Amino acid sequence: MGTEWKRKVSLFGAFDDYEASLSALSTKLSRASISGGAAAANPPRINRWNRRPYSARYLKLLKKRRALPVWQQKDEFLRALRDNQTLILVGETGCGKTTQIPQFVLEAEGLGDRPVVACTQPSRITAMLAARHVAQEMDVTVGYEVGYSVRFEHCWSRKTVLKYLTDGMLLREAMADPLLEKYNVIILDEVHDRTLATDVLFAHLKEVLKKRPGLKLVVMSAYLEAEKFQGYFSGAAPLMKVHGRLHPVDIFYTQKPERDYLEAAIRTALKVFEPGPPSLRGGPPGRKIVVSTNIAETSLTIDGIVYVIDPGFTKHKVYNLRIRVESLLVSPICKGSANQRADCAGRTRPGKCFRLYTDKSFNEDLQPQTYPEILRSNLAYTVLILKKLGVDDLVHFDFMDYPAPETLMRALEVLNYLGAFDDEGNLTPLGEMMSEFPLDPQMSKMLVISSKYNCSNEIATIAAMLSAQNCFLRPREARKAAGEARVRFGHIDGDHLTLLNVYHAYKQNDEDPQWCYDHFINARALKYADNVRRQLVGIMTRFGLKMCSPNFNSSAYYANIIKALAAGYFMQVALLEQNGHYRTVKNNQIVDLHPSNSMYHKPEWVIFDEFVLTTRNFIRTVTDVRGKWLIDVAPQSTLL
Ligand code: CDP
Ligand code: MG
């Protein structure tokens, strides 16, 4: 067994006593049904949004929705919304914030007949799932009355009254429409995540609220430092707490720190639990095990979870200012996250949470809250957007947490090297164009410049392929065959060109999923890349950039493509040292080519897409580039 557990019983939620909580709840429910009685007995028969009679499914779902904790405070919420411009709402995962609150808002008085509501989400998947689920609950079609908008995928229409969108997408909308005038109410959801885009939106919306007294803002969170948020809004935003209905969760800690949390998690999942429950509805008996990233912590509700194993780690994006590298690092979670993970076990009935760390670690080592992304990110893309939003004075912009001045300086420097900002820090025409692409500035620079090198078609493909997931599959049982299949796409000059080969082969084979399967290519990644490419070409065409390709039979075909690549990525190059390792030019790090690279030789200079920090430093997705081409495209200072 190996793991010794120390048990700590703990009750989460708003009530100290479980029995008391049940009786309080039943009182509340009966009160709620009295006050909402008339409406509940005779709900309207015609759907206000599409003028159709409600379906039977609507009524069935309505019954389920009414049982959610937020419904007990619906009137209270609507009153608070009526009386305040900004409102903060805190409630545990699953209480109905994401799905119900936007629907309540649509019923609010004083917002007109057809208000338009935006609700932000921290990820594409939660935005899409929420829109689909709420469209069902509202008995309308997703893409019409309820829609979503995520990077490279837009599913809404002029009829849309409720739009779920990623926080990054709302920020992009603000670039075109700074006062966000098409929305009557904006809901910032899951703000405990403290994503970069949400933090920028906070500061931007604070200004917009002053200019648009009619706009309302609802800030929602599973947990947050309430005082900090209220302080940020100068005490002008009341806090409303939704009383949850959680069951008790027993918490177990390990007696000793675990050396290998993956192994410990598997062991805990297999050896600790009793045999699985009998089958339901004729299916095989057994227990469902969900392996999830921290998306399940607060933004997704998974029914039927009773046991949670919490290894205590998460993968975080971290920007190292000194070496100017952003990478994903495995780091300890915060206390808030640990409690959220445990809460997942008590959603449907009393549960258990196994923490693969000691109680001493929990109490002494874990930070209370998530470290905001703005303090650990490369800000080049953000600074470009802020500039486009008209923010000139970054130092006095009202961030909730201020990024280090050096990080802002680095961002300004990169944008200046790329030609997006002039020496005074003003946006250049090139920068204007770059800001239209929802991509890293290096990539947008490469796209904008590509028609000059007569290879905009190829560069659009490479950018799209880099934006998608890894397209090469490597199933454990067929590693050798997958490796051989991959070699067939390999380009001897490097991985960017290999990606181009894969895309061309995919198109030549009519985007056939069977072909993908046979060649160990991830069909979903290619489909995504194809869609991204279409959108990039759309943006490029809008700017009058010519879509063109060099002559395939000319010796300059690949040279042109690599020159365009270098025009964007000249800060991500490495030089071969005598000892066989590479040294990155901008920050002097010793690195090796990632073993997955497609080249048979070690070129003197390489351009790379990613810096991967593991036990060794690797650069991944690398391509051979001539030193002379770099001198042609890069400002001198970046190569010194
Ligand atoms: O945002 P919050 O965590 O407060 O809850 P929510 O996402 O609005 O979910 C409320 C309830 O709706 C959950 O407890 C689920 O039972 C249900 N739900 C669902 O069944 N399917 C979804 N895709 C989303 C929610
Ligand atoms: Mg939610």
Side-chain angles (χ1 to χ4, degrees):
M1 288 289 294
T3 309
E4 289 174 51
W5 297 99
K6 187 169 172 182
R7 184 167 190 241
K8 288 230 162 159
V9 181
S10 134
L11 278 162
F12 287 109
F15 304 100
D16 288 325
D17 178 273
Y18 182 48
E19 293 298 323
S21 76
L22 279 184
S23 86
L25 175 70
S26 61
T27 318
K28 278 202 170 174
L29 277 178
S30 55
R31 247 194 267 135
S33 58
I34 293 164
S35 68
N42 293 311
R45 289 178 41 228
I46 299 294
N47 191 335
R48 171 183 165 197
W49 306 114
N50 60 9
R51 310 256 162 236
R52 292 201 190 133
Y54 281 121
S55 66
R57 187 179 65 178
Y58 169 81
L59 297 173
K60 209 171 125 199
L61 286 174
L62 183 64
K63 206 167 151 204
K64 264 176 96 175
R65 289 166 55 201
R66 282 182 191 282
L68 290 170
V70 283
W71 273 75
Q72 293 166 48
Q73 285 162 271
K74 182 177 173 185
D75 293 344
E76 185 190 337
F77 170 80
L78 287 173
R79 269 196 307 275
L81 184 72
R82 183 193 61 199
D83 298 340
N84 298 280
Q85 196 181 11
T86 305
L87 184 63
I88 300 173
L89 187 102
V90 181
E92 283 140 5
T93 311
C95 75
K97 297 182 299 299
T98 304
T99 56
Q100 308 306 306
I101 293 291
Q103 298 190 64
F104 293 174
V105 170
L106 285 172
E107 289 178 30
E109 288 166 32
L111 294 177
D113 232 16
R114 228 179 155 79
V116 183
V117 177
C119 180
T120 64
Q121 293 294 304
S123 73
R124 303 167 58 81
I125 183 81
T126 46
M128 285 154 68
L129 286 178
R132 284 193 198 133
H133 187 76
V134 172
Q136 280 192 356
E137 288 190 350
M138 285 172 62
D139 218 8
V140 297
T141 313
V142 70
Y144 290 87
E145 291 80 5
V146 174
Y148 63 85
S149 195
V150 300
R151 193 165 73 142
F152 300 125
E153 201 168 332
H154 308 279
C155 181
W156 54 281
S157 72
R158 268 184 304 170
K159 289 189 179 157
T160 301
V161 288
L162 170 57
K163 185 152 103 184
Y164 286 92
L165 70 186
T166 52
D167 44 9
M169 209 58 224
L170 187 63
L171 199 52
R172 294 205 63 84
E173 288 194 358
M175 278 170 41
D177 170 18
L179 296 182
L180 291 161
E181 282 179 288
K182 61 171 163 299
Y183 300 116
N184 304 71
V185 180
I186 292 174
I187 304 174
L188 293 183
D189 196 6
E190 319 286 355
V191 300
H192 49 263
D193 275 355
R194 295 296 305 276
T195 60
L196 184 48
T198 291
D199 268 20
V200 175
L201 277 171
F202 264 127
H204 180 67
L205 287 172
K206 213 172 146 178
E207 287 303 306
V208 176
L209 288 166
K210 283 184 211 151
K211 293 179 187 149
R212 282 188 58 197
L215 175 71
K216 292 198 184 270
L217 174 68
V218 181
V219 175
M220 306 203 292
S221 176
Y223 63 95
L224 52 73
E225 301 149 286
E227 285 98 41
K228 178 167 183 165
F229 278 70
Q230 286 193 295
Y232 183 69
F233 288 104
S234 317
L239 174 77
M240 185 176 149
K241 282 196 175 139
V242 179
H243 305 296
R245 260 193 318 165
L246 286 179
H247 299 277
V249 176
D250 282 357
I251 298 208
F252 299 84
Y253 292 93
T254 54
Q255 294 280 33
K256 292 191 299 271
E258 288 291 338
R259 235 180 264 156
D260 180 341
Y261 61 86
L262 179 64
E263 192 262 345
I266 296 170
R267 182 162 20 93
T268 309
L270 300 176
K271 287 192 209 113
V272 168
F273 300 149
E274 302 112 40
S279 72
L280 282 176
R281 294 185 221 105
R287 179 175 279 120
K288 184 160 69 181
I289 297 186
V290 182
V291 181
S292 170
T293 61
N294 44 347
I295 199 170
E297 241 169 68
T298 51
S299 344
L300 285 186
T301 302
I302 306 170
D303 271 348
I305 298 283
V306 187
Y307 301 112
V308 166
I309 299 169
D310 168 18
F313 287 98
T314 183
K315 242 185 183 177
H316 256 315
K317 196 171 62 182
V318 181
Y319 179 56
N320 184 327
L321 189 63
R322 194 175 53 78
I323 59 169
R324 305 177 194 202
V325 165
E326 201 170 50
S327 43
L328 279 173
L329 284 187
V330 175
S331 13
I333 56 170
C334 68
K335 281 202 179 85
S337 291
N339 288 337
Q340 286 296 320
R341 289 179 184 194
D343 282 356
C344 292
R347 205 74 66 213
T348 41
R349 58 194 170 96
K352 291 184 169 59
C353 175
F354 300 90
R355 290 182 171 161
L356 300 180
Y357 40 91
T358 62
D359 55 346
K360 187 163 178 286
S361 262
F362 175 82
N363 290 318
E364 295 174 14
D365 302 337
L366 300 193
Q367 297 291 325
Q369 301 283 341
T370 308
Y371 198 56
E373 199 183 351
I374 198 163
L375 303 182
R376 50 184 170 84
S377 301
N378 172 355
L379 297 179
Y381 173 78
T382 306
V383 168
L384 185 62
I385 288 192
L386 286 173
K387 199 76 191 175
K388 181 79 184 164
L389 280 174
V391 178
D392 279 323
D393 185 358
L394 290 173
V395 177
H396 294 101
F397 191 56
D398 196 358
F399 289 118
M400 192 176 297
D401 283 282
Y402 274 89
E406 294 84 0
T407 319
L408 288 172
M409 288 305 294
R410 287 271 180 272
L412 288 167
E413 186 188 67
V414 165
L415 290 165
N416 179 245
Y417 286 152
L418 288 168
F421 285 7
D422 63 20
D423 289 347
E424 270 75 53
N426 298 314
L427 210 55
T428 61
L430 174 69
E432 287 274 349
M433 266 194 236
M434 283 167 57
S435 72
E436 288 298 316
F437 293 88
L439 301 168
D440 269 349
Q442 282 95 322
M443 198 180 267
S444 21
K445 164 77 184 277
M446 151 178 112
L447 284 161
V448 173
I449 216 80
S450 60
S451 52
K452 269 199 185 159
Y453 291 94
N454 207 25
C455 58
S456 40
N457 280 320
E458 286 72 13
I459 289 294
T461 303
I462 292 175
M465 291 293 283
L466 290 173
S467 305
Q469 266 180 306
N470 184 356
C471 65
F472 295 108
L473 295 174
R474 243 180 120 221
R476 189 182 282 269
E477 65 286 359
R479 284 253 159 102
K480 192 158 170 279
E484 285 163 8
R486 182 178 177 146
V487 167
R488 265 179 261 144
F489 297 107
H491 192 291
I492 51 163
D493 284 336
D495 301 318
H496 294 88
L497 305 177
T498 300
L499 293 178
L500 193 61
N501 283 348
V502 173
Y503 181 81
H504 285 160
Y506 171 72
K507 293 302 259 191
Q508 271 160 17
N509 287 282
D510 303 322
E511 303 163 29
D512 179 10
Q514 185 61 42
W515 175 87
C516 292
Y517 182 82
D518 294 342
H519 293 80
F520 296 94
I521 292 295
N522 182 346
R524 194 195 285 242
L526 263 295
K527 197 169 173 210
Y528 178 82
D530 202 26
N531 174 36
V532 170
R533 189 183 184 283
R534 214 171 309 131
Q535 310 228 13
L536 294 180
V537 169
I539 302 174
M540 292 162 87
T541 318
R542 217 170 59 225
F543 278 105
L545 297 170
K546 200 165 65 156
M547 295 314 296
C548 46
S549 299
N551 180 353
F552 186 69
N553 298 317
S554 141
S555 58
Y557 180 79
Y558 289 113
N560 275 18
I561 295 170
I562 298 173
K563 279 181 195 169
L565 254 177
Y569 288 88
F570 55 83
M571 277 170 280
Q572 293 183 197
V573 290
L575 177 65
L576 182 64
E577 303 254 286
Q578 279 185 344
N579 59 13
H581 297 291
Y582 281 82
R583 183 183 286 276
T584 60
V585 170
K586 201 77 189 94
N587 44 44
N588 276 322
Q589 294 297 299
I590 301 297
V591 295
D592 286 312
L593 304 183
H594 195 270
S596 65
N597 85 82
S598 65
M599 297 178 294
Y600 293 145
H601 64 303
K602 277 190 175 174
E604 187 185 5
W605 290 92
V606 288
I607 212 156
F608 62 90
D609 184 58
E610 250 184 305
F611 189 106
V612 192
L613 279 173
T614 53
T615 41
R616 272 158 72 192
N617 292 344
F618 285 114
I619 44 178
R620 190 159 53 192
T621 315
V622 281
T623 289
D624 185 350
V625 62
R626 305 272 158 81
K628 181 181 171 319
W629 298 344
L630 290 171
I631 293 169
D632 289 346
V633 296
Q636 285 303 307
S637 46
T638 59
L639 294 175
L640 292 179

